[in-house]
């Protein structure tokens, strides 16, 4: 069976030509004389192929040395600058003296902040561990948490507690303007007219 499959693969192009080519093209091809190869070409054919292979290998090595290695080297240096050394510290420049001062801080705990997890809970995206990305347990739980989140979807329902899922919310110009005010108004101005959103606490 393997031999039959090999013969089929090797003869596939000839079979397709016999079936699909016009008779005129097939007869013209059959009447062509074979190409003559000189003795010098026949003797040096293997050497020419070897020289071509060496030339291609040299070209690949040259591109790797002068283009790829420096490119990936700079990427590695950028990663070292951002992610190596001391990471747990804060820094500031003295506004009068111009001196740079720094102090150590507590170690950063990996994971998403609560605000970002709340955004995932509100949006409910489809998260899957694939293409080299492995979402955490908190992220996977947040994507299917439904309305069990600390965020609120505006407008809030009248006479009820909590809020509807974001996908079931209606478009409201008033709610849009309210969120716009939350992101562009100072805290002092918000305290004059903004009401408490935490209805569940009552």
């Amino acid at each position: 069976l393997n031999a039959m499959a090999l013969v089929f693969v090797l003869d596939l192009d000839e079979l397709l030509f016999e079936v699909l080519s016009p008779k005129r093209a097939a007869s013209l091809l059959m009447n062509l004389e074979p190409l003559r190869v000189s003795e010098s070409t026949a003797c040096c054919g293997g050497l020419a192929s070897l020289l071509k292979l060496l030339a291609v290998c040299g070209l690949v090595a040259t591109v790797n040395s002068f283009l790829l290695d420096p490119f990936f080297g700079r990427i590695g240096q950028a990663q070292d600058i951002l992610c190596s050394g001391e990471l747990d510290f804060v820094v500031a420049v003295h506004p009068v003296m111009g001196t740079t001062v720094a102090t150590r801080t507590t170690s950063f705990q990996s994971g998403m902040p609560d605000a970002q997890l709340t955004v995932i809970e509100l949006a409910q995206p489809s998260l899957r561990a694939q293409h080299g990305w492995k979402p955490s347990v908190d992220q996977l739980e947040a994507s299917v948490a439904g309305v069990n989140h600390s965020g609120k979807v505006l407008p809030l329902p009248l006479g009820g507690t909590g809020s509807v899922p974001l996908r079931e919310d209606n478009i409201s110009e008033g709610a849009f303007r309210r969120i716009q005010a939350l992101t562009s108004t100072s805290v002092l101005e918000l305290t004059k007219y903004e009401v408490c959103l935490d209805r569940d606490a009552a």
Side-chain angles (χ1 to χ4, degrees), residues 45-65:
L47 180 60
S49 300
L50 180 60
L51 292 177
K52 291 179 181 179
L53 177 61
L54 293 177
V56 170
C57 293
L59 179 62
V60 171
T62 302
V63 171
N64 183 71
S65 300

Side-chain angles (χ1 to χ4, degrees), residues 21 30 34 51 79 84 87 142 165 190:
S21 63
M30 293 297 296
L51 292 177
Q79 184 177 5
S84 63
L87 302 178
L190 285 175

Side-chain angles (χ1 to χ4, degrees), residues 124-153:
Q124 297 182 14
S126 178
L127 300 183
R128 292 182 295 272
Q130 58 183 6
H131 305 302
W133 183 57
K134 297 180 180 180
S136 64
V137 177
D138 293 338
Q139 295 170 351
L140 293 175
E141 291 180 351
S143 64
V144 296
V147 295
N148 298 320
H149 49 69
S150 58
K152 301 295 181 183
V153 178

Side-chain angles (χ1 to χ4, degrees), residues 21 31-32 43 62 64 76 91 102 105 119 121-123 125 131 142 147 162 181 183:
S21 63
N31 293 329
L32 289 177
C43 296
T62 302
N64 183 71
V91 62
T105 60
V119 173
E121 291 173 350
L122 290 169
H131 305 302
V147 295
T183 58

Side-chain angles (χ1 to χ4, degrees), residues 23-73:
K23 293 183 178 180
R24 183 176 181 181
S27 60
L28 180 63
L29 184 62
M30 293 297 296
N31 293 329
L32 289 177
E33 296 182 359
L35 296 176
R36 296 181 179 179
V37 180
S38 60
E39 295 182 358
S40 59
T41 304
C43 296
C44 301
L47 180 60
S49 300
L50 180 60
L51 292 177
K52 291 179 181 179
L53 177 61
L54 293 177
V56 170
C57 293
L59 179 62
V60 171
T62 302
V63 171
N64 183 71
S65 300
F66 291 96
L67 294 179
L68 296 181
D69 280 350
F71 174 74
F72 288 105

Side-chain angles (χ1 to χ4, degrees), residues 4-20:
M4 293 178 61
L6 181 61
V7 171
F8 174 77
V9 171
L10 294 177
D11 296 341
L12 180 61
D13 55 341
E14 297 181 2
L15 294 175
L16 292 176
F17 179 78
E18 292 179 2
V19 174
L20 301 178

Side-chain angles (χ1 to χ4, degrees), residues 175-194:
F176 178 82
R177 292 183 181 275
R178 188 173 182 182
I179 291 181
Q180 187 178 23
L182 290 175
T183 58
S184 59
T185 308
S186 65
V187 176
L188 181 60
E189 292 293 328
L190 285 175
T191 56
K192 295 180 180 179
Y193 62 87
E194 185 64 24

